[in-house]
Amino acid sequence: MQLDSSISLPSRVRGILDRVRSVVDERLVAAIDRVLDETEQQLFRNAEHARSNAEQQSWFDALRELRRGRADVAPRLLVALEGALVRRPLPAEAVAPPRATGPRGGFDLVDPDELEIRLILEDGAARAEIRHHELLFALGHRFAVLWAAPPLSPAQLPVGPAGLNEAFAAAIAELRLQPAAMQTLLRIYERVVLQSLGALLEAVNAILVDAGVLRHFSGYEGRRREAEVAASADDPTAPVADRAPAAPGDASRPQRSPIAGATPAAARPAWTPEDQQRFDALRESLGRLRAMRSGAGAEAEPASVRPEDLQTVLSHLQAIPNPAQIVGGRRVPQSVAHIRQAMVEQLAQTLPPGTTPVLRADDEDVLDLMEVFLGTLQQDLKPDPATEQVMSRLQVPLVRLALVDRTFFTRPEHPARRLLNAIADASASWLEDDPEGRRMLERLGAIGDRLTNEFQHGVSLFEELLGDLTAHLQQSQRRAEAAERRHVEAAKGRERLALARRTVDAAIASRLAAAAPDDLLRTTLEQAWADVLALTLLRHGPDGEPYRRRLAVVDELLAARRIGSIGATQARALREELESGLALVGYPLGDIRQIMERLLGGIDGAADPDEALALAMKLRARARLGESRVIDPAGGDWGRPAGPEEQPWVDRIRELPIGTWFAPGSGDGPRLKLAWRSEALDLVLLVNRRATSAEERGVAQLARDLARGGLRIVLASPAPPVERVFQRILARAKASGEGAFHA
């Protein structure tokens, strides 16, 4: 099947997309048929195991609806995919997650079925992106070539998990399935289609490669940077690491082959004048460290250490466990200074007696910079034994890498720097004593294991570990964002209920002010019937006929109580309306009948006053609609207005952007994020980093916490942790003068 000929496309692009469309159609039609077959079988099994006739009938109804509409699902899916294939991709920030909803059966403050359906699609796409990230990365670059666009993210790819989800959601939109059946269908779709998406992505990549689209492209972006440039071995302006070493004093000695653990020059980025300028600026901070070591070993004959010998010794140190050091009876983590000491001791054992190993000036610079850099970084990281252990294990591989690739110090996009930033993010945000924290700790431990056991040279291992950790962090972030959305949706529902209750309370209060009802009637109207009116108002609005009809019940009851009688027809109509309304908000049938008997009987004085009083007390003790969750802005500390010293904080809170973070003033405790703000109720919703907990606070209450120092606003830093460390090194060196900075 070919693309629509009316769509204007370059002939070569059309030919490629026709082939892609053909293989996608062939594979997806079979997969969708399997999805629908398995869904039918599962719906039938659900009906067989139903606990009631009504539940069984519901599953059979869903089965009939699926059989009725299944013939249209695959064609709709293919039409949606064709449109996505020929449509120029939207910018990444404009891509919205796919939505698929079943019919909404009635009103709910936060529709859990719709939210669950949305999350099934989003979580399935996230898992598929992590599982097939390398194929999606390559496909994103190849589709970008077809469209002459920047590289596409997985969410922008028409055949990526998110794109397939969007097409499938459009294909099943006409199926009138109950939410439980829709969720069953989507879970089977994820298992059959998304979990086995790799074969389809490989086939599409193969088509594009065969058509000559980035034929030799593979791996992460950094791998391409390594192969792009080569430094001349004879270029005097290139860094020392880019020149093959020769024995001291032997200029005629032929160059050695690259040593184990060194990076071939052709596999490293070129050293630019900008790199040299940045590196020189960093070296200005090393004067004091160099001065402290000047004269070291002056009593012995110096022996220059060749770079390959230095790498050999470091490779041996890398294989040795690096426990914490004991200094002054106190446990301290291993540092670059300890590594330097061990390295010099091992080098000395290979030299003749009376000689002392002396590192070349460039290597000294690298070690000094790494000592300052890693020491400062560890001070900035969250004090945690697990993070300390991981960082300790990374030190030798990082030192080995920096000795042969000084762009580590000069380029923020360097894979090793990005990996350190990701580790710092994981340490600051995700290492808590819960299952998610333990999974993250295992991930960080695995990074230390692999670098210790596998690192030899280059950045490819750093890139691979960066990709794995980034994918894991993104998955954790998506889970946190989904949980945060649930909290926000729930808070919005509570806000709507609070505002509806406020409207209803005002309407009832104005009517009661002009009447003199007995205690039972007043309690019924202010408690039970107010809940009925609030729910009706939310469903149908203030102009809806059900709300006006139930509000009229208040007038009729008060009028009947005022005249002391009620007609049989009117009593019957009131009874029906009261029974249906009270049942709507969860009153049991026995309680409803008791209320009817006492309420309507009391109009003409026939009810027992003691029984009526007991019933009124029972109604007051009953939980109101959503009482445990409904916001009460007038209650507790929220009800106290802000004082003069707190008002500036109130004004600032009202202007803070959503997403602002607050930290405990003492520094201990979790950070809280401003997830939502209610202008109508003057309150905010705060969630923790993972959105596993949420709390609502009045704006005045939050202002008091800020004014008293219990909380502080965290100003977002534009730079990642590693970049902040280098900025601090440069700033201190500039402020103190050359040679005045010391970690």
Side-chain angles (χ1 to χ4, degrees), residues 462-479:
F462 284 91
E463 289 173 333
E464 181 182 348
L465 295 173
L466 172 65
D468 292 343
L469 181 57
T470 301
H472 189 77
L473 286 170
Q474 289 174 347
Q475 185 181 38
S476 299
Q477 183 62 35
R478 288 191 184 98
R479 282 196 289 265

Side-chain angles (χ1 to χ4, degrees), residues 151 441 591 698:
L441 181 58
D591 289 353

Side-chain angles (χ1 to χ4, degrees), residues 133-154 157 205 208 213-214 217-222 224:
H133 64 276
E134 290 198 40
L135 291 171
L136 291 168
F137 182 82
L139 203 58
H141 282 70
R142 292 190 170 107
F143 265 96
V145 171
L146 293 183
W147 289 111
L152 306 185
S153 69
L157 288 172
N205 264 312
L208 296 175
V213 180
L214 297 182
F217 179 86
S218 65
Y220 297 110
E221 55 180 328
R224 301 275 62 78

Side-chain angles (χ1 to χ4, degrees), residues 31-64:
I32 294 302
D33 283 342
R34 181 183 165 192
V35 168
L36 297 176
D37 288 341
E38 292 192 16
T39 304
E40 285 188 7
Q41 297 170 11
Q42 186 60 50
L43 294 179
F44 185 79
R45 284 194 293 269
N46 291 348
E48 283 186 322
H49 295 89
R51 299 179 181 179
S52 66
N53 291 336
E55 182 183 355
Q56 184 180 63
Q57 186 61 44
S58 175
W59 289 115
F60 279 134
D61 289 344
L63 181 58
R64 281 192 293 271

Side-chain angles (χ1 to χ4, degrees), residues 353-375:
T355 57
T356 300
V358 177
L359 303 183
R360 295 160 26 136
D362 289 319
D363 294 336
E364 286 279 8
D365 286 344
V366 170
L367 290 173
D368 289 344
L369 279 175
M370 290 301 291
E371 182 175 346
V372 173
F373 164 69
L374 290 175

Side-chain angles (χ1 to χ4, degrees), residues 660-681:
T660 299
W661 286 91
F662 301 92
S666 63
D668 298 327
R671 292 187 174 188
L672 299 174
K673 177 184 178 183
L674 177 62
W676 174 73
R677 179 173 48 234
S678 170
E679 305 295 342
L681 300 180

Side-chain angles (χ1 to χ4, degrees), residues 150-323:
L152 306 185
S153 69
Q156 295 173 283
L157 288 172
V159 293
L164 291 179
N165 282 358
E166 186 176 356
F168 188 67
I172 63 175
E174 299 300 321
L175 294 177
R176 295 188 295 273
L177 297 178
Q178 49 141 320
M182 181 68 75
Q183 294 171 23
T184 300
L185 171 60
L186 292 177
R187 289 193 175 96
I188 294 175
Y189 158 79
E190 180 191 353
R191 175 170 53 80
V192 173
V193 177
L194 295 186
Q195 290 187 11
S196 58
L197 187 58
L200 175 61
L201 297 178
E202 288 178 352
V204 175
N205 264 312
I207 290 173
L208 296 175
V209 169
D210 184 64
V213 180
L214 297 182
R215 187 186 301 274
H216 302 294
F217 179 86
S218 65
Y220 297 110
E221 55 180 328
R223 294 178 188 168
R224 301 275 62 78
R225 285 199 306 271
E226 283 187 318
E228 284 175 358
V229 293
S232 172
D234 299 321
D235 184 359
T237 64
V240 173
D242 288 345
R243 300 195 297 270
D250 187 3
S252 63
R253 184 172 178 172
Q255 294 179 338
R256 295 173 178 263
S257 301
I259 60 173
T263 305
R268 289 191 300 273
W271 185 256
T272 67
E274 290 79 9
D275 288 319
Q276 188 65 50
Q277 183 179 4
R278 296 190 188 106
F279 190 72
D280 289 342
L282 286 169
R283 285 199 296 192
E284 291 179 2
S285 66
L286 300 178
R288 173 167 295 183
L289 287 175
R290 183 59 50 79
M292 290 171 60
R293 276 190 289 271
S294 63
E299 298 179 357
E301 181 182 351
S304 180
V305 178
R306 297 178 303 176
E308 58 263 41
D309 295 334
L310 190 59
Q311 286 286 338
T312 300
V313 170
L314 285 172
S315 68
H316 294 158
L317 292 177
Q318 180 177 307
I320 300 174
N322 46 6

Side-chain angles (χ1 to χ4, degrees), residues 300-500:
E301 181 182 351
S304 180
V305 178
R306 297 178 303 176
E308 58 263 41
D309 295 334
L310 190 59
Q311 286 286 338
T312 300
V313 170
L314 285 172
S315 68
H316 294 158
L317 292 177
Q318 180 177 307
I320 300 174
N322 46 6
Q325 307 292 314
I326 305 299
V327 178
R330 186 169 57 91
R331 180 180 179 274
V332 296
Q334 177 174 269
S335 67
V336 176
H338 300 136
I339 296 173
R340 183 199 297 266
Q341 180 181 355
M343 179 180 64
V344 171
E345 290 174 354
Q346 289 204 18
L347 287 169
Q349 295 176 7
T350 65
L351 298 175
T355 57
T356 300
V358 177
L359 303 183
R360 295 160 26 136
D362 289 319
D363 294 336
E364 286 279 8
D365 286 344
V366 170
L367 290 173
D368 289 344
L369 279 175
M370 290 301 291
E371 182 175 346
V372 173
F373 164 69
L374 290 175
T376 307
L377 180 63
Q378 286 186 307
Q379 292 173 9
D380 289 353
L381 292 179
K382 177 181 177 181
D384 180 88
T387 306
E388 179 183 296
Q389 182 179 14
V390 171
M391 290 301 299
S392 179
R393 302 184 70 184
L394 294 182
Q395 288 179 351
V396 174
L398 285 172
V399 168
R400 293 184 65 192
L401 177 69
L403 284 167
V404 296
D405 182 5
R406 287 185 292 170
T407 58
F408 171 82
F409 299 106
T410 61
R411 300 187 183 182
E413 72 275 10
H414 194 285
R417 286 171 68 155
R418 293 168 60 199
L419 178 62
L420 288 174
N421 283 325
I423 291 173
D425 180 33
S427 171
S429 304
W430 303 102
L431 289 186
E432 297 179 8
D433 189 16
D434 59 11
E436 181 67 31
R438 287 188 284 274
R439 284 194 295 269
M440 187 63 72
L441 181 58
E442 291 175 1
R443 181 76 57 169
L444 295 182
I447 289 175
D449 290 341
R450 291 199 59 190
L451 279 173
T452 299
N453 298 326
E454 300 178 25
F455 176 76
Q456 291 299 324
H457 59 76
V459 297
S460 58
L461 181 57
F462 284 91
E463 289 173 333
E464 181 182 348
L465 295 173
L466 172 65
D468 292 343
L469 181 57
T470 301
H472 189 77
L473 286 170
Q474 289 174 347
Q475 185 181 38
S476 299
Q477 183 62 35
R478 288 191 184 98
R479 282 196 289 265
E481 290 171 353
E484 181 180 329
R485 286 195 297 270
R486 294 190 191 100
H487 288 305
V488 171
E489 292 294 331
K492 289 179 178 179
R494 294 193 290 273
E495 178 193 44
R496 292 194 295 269
L497 181 55
L499 294 176

